[in-house]
Amino acid sequence: MDSAEFRRAAHQMVEYIIEYMENIKNRQVLPSIEPGYIRTLLPGEAPEDPEKWENILGDIERVIMPGVTHWHSPHFHAYYPTGNSWPSLLADMLSDAIGCIGFTWMASPACTELETLMMDWLGKLLDLPKCFLSEESEGVGGGVIQTTASEATLVCMLAAKTKTIQ
């Protein structure tokens, strides 16, 4: 895929996403498939030649969507809400294009600093004491956004262990 093909495919994908989000209320929330259903719809071996984009786009409805739980559906009331919005979709596109891996400051100063600032914004909105803010705490406050509940639990356990050892 070259840049011209990407541009065309990206426009098609954006249109697909808009159509999906605008009509999600009409989809069955939970899939009614059996384990292993994808193996019956796709080849057992990886293709030797690239698939045409049109085939891949068609496979989204034919193969992927039958097995999707539609978390953004207004009819889905289990677990917890997901953070999805039009601006977040645009941010994901940019983040994917940049390939931002912000696990340390040096890996991506802009990513790390933006996250730190936004965590301070959140702390202020929650009216947390200044010791929880990175700008006010001389390096001991602040926080990071964990990507999953499991990751957040692990960080809490590590913090508790460190506090106990000290």
Side-chain angles (χ1 to χ4, degrees), residues 74-148:
H75 307 295
F76 186 63
H77 305 292
Y79 307 114
Y80 45 85
T82 57
N84 192 0
S85 64
W86 300 115
S88 73
L89 292 170
L90 293 172
D92 280 345
M93 288 171 66
L94 177 61
S95 181
D96 288 345
I98 293 171
C100 183
I101 310 294
F103 51 79
T104 65
W105 185 89
M106 191 59 197
S108 183
C111 180
T112 304
E113 293 199 13
L114 182 59
E115 180 179 9
T116 303
L117 176 63
M118 291 180 78
M119 290 303 295
D120 277 357
W121 291 351
L122 178 61
K124 290 174 184 176
L125 288 169
L126 295 173
D127 201 26
L128 293 177
K130 288 185 177 187
C131 65
F132 286 99
L133 306 177
S134 63
E135 72 179 5
E136 303 287 340
S137 64
E138 299 175 3
V140 296
V144 296
I145 301 169
Q146 303 302 325
T147 57
T148 66

